[in-house]
Amino acid sequence: MDTAVWVLISTAMVLLMTPGLAFFYGGLVKEKSVVSMMMMSFGALGLVAVLWILIGANMSSIDGSIWSFSGNPFSNFGQEGVAGADLLNVAFGGTFAIITTALISGAIADRARFGPWMIFAGVWATLVYFPVAAWVWGGGWIQNLGDTLGGLPAVIDFAGGTAVHINAGAAALGLALVLGKRVGFNKDIAQPHNVPLVLIGAALLWFGWFGFNAGAAGSPDEAGLIVFNTLAAPAAGILGWIVVEKIRTGKATAVGAVSGVVAGLVAITPAAANLTPGWTLVLGLIAGAICALAIELKFNMGFDDSLDVVGLHLVAGITGTIYLGFFATDTGLFVGGDAGQLVVQTVSVLAVAIFSFGASWLIGTAIQKTIGFRVTSEEEIAGIDLAVHGESGYAMQSRGTVPAE
């Protein structure tokens, strides 16, 4: 297949992941805040796409020193100097910026105002995602870390273990701490209101993830490995999650199964082109099991990450990125390499996590202290769809009935 056609198809697939995320998140929240939850994904889609076109694509590529914070945002303002097939690559990169930002919203479900969320999304994409993308993929210091440290292997992050999942997961933790816990926060509050909607969203995510991982494949052989691994890791993730769930609670749930899919997909994202199929299956099992345990952290440690962005994206992103230090083909510690790959993977994980957490906490705190980020307790208890958007996700009243005489 022609490369441009494949990038075009992959761009459409990755763009579909954000509506898929909206369905996934929407089914997990209360029925009276499903519109609010889904609108945060669609709001991010609109705002971040525009920012990416104006300045983000420019910021994500560094021409000068590898230690530059980002590229020049005004080098091709509005992509005026870009044409032809290069615009396809810009569009493909933009879909990553969109979904990375949208992922964060799951941590603040049921209690966030839409306007402040949009401000956060725009500032975060500009000051955090665009620069980190430059560090990892655009000629920045993470991409050159191996050489900088003296002949070590290059950091491996094929499709976004650091730039997407650790970045979003650390930001989610920072923002969840700023907004605090939901009213009546406990294990019962976390029950999804619409399981079929969750499964539909997960199916769209898995479909789009084949473009997410394989869109940048450099050859048919590499694409074949990536597509295979994008099938294998989430399949194993299902098994890892539901086994842990069955042992812990006595039941294997549908929401648990698709959470295992997401855990496997997140874990394989940085590693899709650098693991053999056998080690991919092991990674999927590990990620599913670890994430099934990690979602309890919010109850044990007392932070309210509503939809487990930390327990899934941060934990599985770290798992997949560090796993490469041990099992990356030819360079991993246990498959022909030495500790060098593990060193550079660990440094990249720590750098992105610390930067994103700190920046997100500061941005969220500034918004909370000035215009306020949370809805009122009364609006939260009643359900925020009507208060924030003037809409309801479900029309429960009967229609077409004849009044009694």
Side-chain angles (χ1 to χ4, degrees):
M1 180 183 293
D2 181 82
T3 301
V5 174
W6 174 236
V7 175
L8 185 155
I9 293 170
S10 296
T11 300
M13 292 170 71
V14 181
L15 184 63
L16 184 63
M17 291 173 68
T18 298
L21 181 72
F23 284 124
F24 185 76
Y25 279 173
L28 289 170
V29 298
K30 298 187 295 186
E31 68 274 10
K32 293 182 179 180
S33 57
V34 60
V35 173
S36 169
M37 189 70 257
M38 298 181 79
M39 270 295 291
M40 285 198 278
S41 286
F42 278 90
L45 196 162
L47 177 60
V48 178
V50 170
L51 288 173
W52 178 261
I53 292 166
L54 292 176
I55 61 173
N58 305 331
M59 293 179 67
S60 69
S61 180
I62 293 173
D63 292 330
S65 168
I66 64 170
W67 300 106
S68 298
F69 181 70
S70 73
N72 180 0
F74 304 110
S75 58
N76 286 304
F77 186 74
Q79 303 311 300
E80 283 296 322
V82 183
D86 289 338
L87 285 172
L88 268 181
N89 294 324
V90 172
F92 182 62
T95 60
F96 281 66
I98 291 164
I99 194 165
T100 304
T101 308
L103 284 171
I104 303 168
S105 65
I108 55 172
D110 292 327
R111 62 197 188 280
R113 294 167 55 211
F114 183 68
W117 158 252
M118 291 291 282
I119 294 172
F120 175 87
V123 175
W124 187 87
T126 301
L127 297 183
V128 182
Y129 179 80
F130 300 158
V132 171
W135 301 350
V136 175
W137 296 315
W141 72 269
I142 289 179
Q143 191 172 32
N144 291 279
L145 182 60
D147 289 338
T148 302
L149 293 178
L152 296 184
V155 173
I156 300 173
D157 186 357
F158 190 80
T162 54
V164 175
H165 298 294
I166 294 172
N167 204 2
L173 178 59
L175 199 55
L177 293 176
V178 171
L179 266 68
K181 302 174 187 176
R182 286 166 288 178
V183 175
F185 173 66
N186 55 45
K187 291 190 178 183
D188 291 333
I189 201 174
Q191 299 304 310
H193 90 278
N194 190 325
V195 173
L197 203 63
V198 177
L199 270 61
I200 290 170
L204 291 172
L205 284 170
W206 197 349
F207 171 79
W209 225 294
F210 286 99
F212 191 91
N213 281 351
S219 68
D221 287 343
E222 186 176 52
L225 176 63
I226 294 169
V227 168
F228 185 93
N229 286 346
T230 306
L231 170 65
I238 295 173
L239 302 181
W241 189 293
I242 62 176
V243 166
V244 170
E245 195 174 43
K246 179 69 175 178
I247 293 170
R248 292 184 65 253
T249 68
K251 293 181 174 63
T253 67
V255 170
V258 295
S259 297
V261 168
V262 174
L265 287 167
V266 171
I268 197 59
T269 295
N274 297 87
L275 289 179
T276 58
W279 289 122
T280 295
L281 289 172
V282 174
L283 173 60
L285 286 169
I286 292 172
I290 288 177
C291 290
L293 297 170
I295 61 170
E296 295 296 314
L297 288 174
K298 64 183 180 184
F299 302 113
N300 298 333
M301 300 179 69
F303 64 90
D304 188 1
D305 169 25
S306 307
L307 306 184
D308 299 312
V309 185
V310 176
L312 277 172
H313 294 274
L314 180 59
V315 171
I318 292 173
T319 300
T321 304
I322 297 297
Y323 187 88
L324 284 162
F326 297 102
F327 300 109
T329 303
D330 296 330
T331 60
L333 182 60
F334 297 149
V335 287
D338 54 27
Q341 191 71 64
L342 181 59
V343 169
V344 296
Q345 298 299 117
T346 302
V347 171
S348 68
V349 165
L350 291 173
V352 173
I354 292 169
F355 172 70
S356 183
F357 172 82
S360 303
W361 186 88
L362 288 171
I363 297 166
T365 298
I367 295 171
Q368 177 68 8
K369 296 293 186 182
T370 52
I371 63 173
F373 214 135
R374 283 192 68 144
V375 298
T376 66
S377 296
E378 292 77 13
E379 290 171 335
E380 183 180 337
I381 293 169
I384 61 178
D385 282 352
L386 289 174
V388 174
H389 297 287
E391 296 176 300
S392 175
Y394 304 96
M396 296 300 186
Q397 70 271 22
S398 59
R399 298 178 183 272
T401 57
V402 179
E405 294 182 357

